[in-house]
């Protein structure tokens, strides 16, 4: 359990394009980190070392700023946060529950404008070293709902109405699980490895482990077929 002194809050302020940093337990604003305006998403990486501030949709240039949280796991103390670097990303997305998408343990950004998964392959991200990346091609520009399985990547497409399955090692498409119009959300059951995609009329269940891998397992209708997920 975290102590109050180990908690730092990051809040996007779209009025001036900054990220407000609040430390606990006193709740004082200790810094404003300048980023590009029109931030739509804030998400932390799995180790809470970085915050990704994503700007996209209806902007002249879509950007993602990578911010150091300033947390030192060895001392358990915070240093001053700062922007490490800013990269171009065409309509960035991908986070779930305020956490970055991952591919093989590395942070990943799903660019909805040019239909790619951009994986940041550097173990440490700084402002000086080369930022190593690996790119996977997604089927089409769309709004995505993404999760990583045991060996495959599962990308739900809102408007296209299917789940694309990519092989994580090769990047090749394994298949497309169709029949999910207006795919507008997803969740997972960690024990079974099954994914649940919300479709227009029902929930599509997809397996990720063993013989169920990359297959539709079942459909779960909504109560009274309301068409609402």
């Amino acid at each position: 359990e975290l102590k109050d002194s180990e908690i730092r809050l990051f809040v996007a302020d779209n009025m001036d394009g900054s990220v407000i940093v609040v430390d606990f337990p006193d709740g004082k604003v200790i810094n404003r980190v300048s980023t590009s305006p029109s931030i739509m998403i804030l998400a932390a990486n799995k180790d809470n070392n970085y915050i990704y501030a994503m700007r996209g949709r209806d902007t002249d240039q879509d950007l993602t700023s990578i911010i150091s949280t300033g947390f030192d796991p060895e001392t358990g103390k915070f240093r001053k946060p700062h922007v490490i670097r800013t990269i171009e990303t065409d309509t960035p997305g991908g986070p779930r529950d305020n956490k970055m998408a991952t591919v093989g343990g590395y942070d990943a950004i799903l660019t909805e404008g040019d239909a790619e998964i951009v994986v940041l392959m550097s173990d440490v991200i700084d402002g000086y070293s080369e930022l190593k990346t690996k790119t996977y091609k997604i089927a089409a520009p769309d709004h995505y709902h993404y999760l990583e399985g045991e060996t495959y990547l599962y990308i739900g497409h809102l408007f296209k109405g299917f789940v694309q399955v990519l092989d994580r090692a090769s990047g090749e498409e394994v298949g497309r699980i169709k029949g999910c119009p207006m795919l507008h959300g997803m969740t997972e059951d960690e024990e079974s490895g099954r994914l649940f995609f919300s479709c227009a009329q029902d929930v599509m269940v997809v397996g990720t482990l063993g013989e169920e891998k990359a297959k539709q397992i079942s459909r779960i209708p909504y109560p009274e077929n309301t068409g609402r997920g």
Side-chain angles (χ1 to χ4, degrees), residues 157-219:
H157 290 58
L158 168 64
F159 300 108
K160 297 295 183 182
F162 60 75
V163 177
Q164 183 186 24
V165 185
L166 299 179
D167 184 287
R168 183 175 62 208
S170 68
E172 296 296 321
E173 182 175 279
V174 176
R176 299 182 185 184
I177 305 171
K178 301 180 179 180
C180 188
M182 297 306 294
L183 192 161
H184 55 278
M186 70 176 300
T187 189
E188 65 177 327
D189 177 63
E190 293 184 1
E191 184 175 350
S192 67
R194 291 180 174 181
L195 308 180
F196 300 82
F197 294 90
S198 299
C199 311
Q201 300 294 327
D202 57 8
V203 174
M204 182 169 69
V205 184
V206 175
T208 67
L209 301 176
E211 295 182 356
E212 293 186 352
K213 186 187 300 185
K215 295 179 181 178
Q216 177 181 298
I217 305 304
S218 64
R219 312 284 299 215

Side-chain angles (χ1 to χ4, degrees), residues 64-86:
T64 296
S65 294
I66 306 172
I67 302 169
S68 168
T69 62
F71 183 68
D72 185 343
E74 294 184 1
T75 64
K77 296 181 179 180
F78 283 108
R79 299 185 299 272
K80 188 175 181 179
H82 62 279
V83 174
I84 300 171
R85 63 173 63 194
T86 296

Side-chain angles (χ1 to χ4, degrees), residues 6-7 17-19 23 31 34 40 60 63 65 84 92 102 104 112 119 123 128 155 165-166 188 191 193 202 217:
E6 296 175 334
I7 298 174
S18 65
V19 175
D23 274 358
N31 197 18
S34 295
M40 292 191 64
D60 57 344
L63 302 168
S65 294
I84 300 171
T102 60
E112 299 179 353
V119 187
D123 292 319
Y128 309 100
I155 308 103
V165 185
L166 299 179
E188 65 177 327
E191 184 175 350
D202 57 8
I217 305 304

Side-chain angles (χ1 to χ4, degrees), residues 23-95:
D23 274 358
F24 289 84
D26 52 21
K28 288 184 178 180
V29 175
I30 59 103
N31 197 18
R32 280 181 175 263
V33 180
S34 295
T35 62
S36 300
S38 303
I39 296 171
M40 292 191 64
I41 299 171
L42 282 183
N45 79 320
K46 66 181 188 306
D47 299 321
N48 294 321
N49 292 327
Y50 309 114
I51 295 288
Y52 290 76
M54 299 184 182
R55 175 195 189 213
R57 296 203 184 103
D58 302 322
T59 56
D60 57 344
Q61 186 179 30
D62 299 342
L63 302 168
T64 296
S65 294
I66 306 172
I67 302 169
S68 168
T69 62
F71 183 68
D72 185 343
E74 294 184 1
T75 64
K77 296 181 179 180
F78 283 108
R79 299 185 299 272
K80 188 175 181 179
H82 62 279
V83 174
I84 300 171
R85 63 173 63 194
T86 296
I87 58 177
E88 290 189 28
T89 47
D90 190 348
T91 317

Side-chain angles (χ1 to χ4, degrees), residues 43-46 52 54 93-96 98-103 105-110 117-119 146-148:
N45 79 320
K46 66 181 188 306
Y52 290 76
M54 299 184 182
R96 294 182 69 249
N98 302 317
K99 286 291 186 180
M100 287 295 293
T102 60
V103 174
Y106 292 100
D107 298 338
I109 301 170
L110 279 71
I117 302 175
V118 180
V119 187
Y146 164 87
L147 273 174
E148 181 178 16

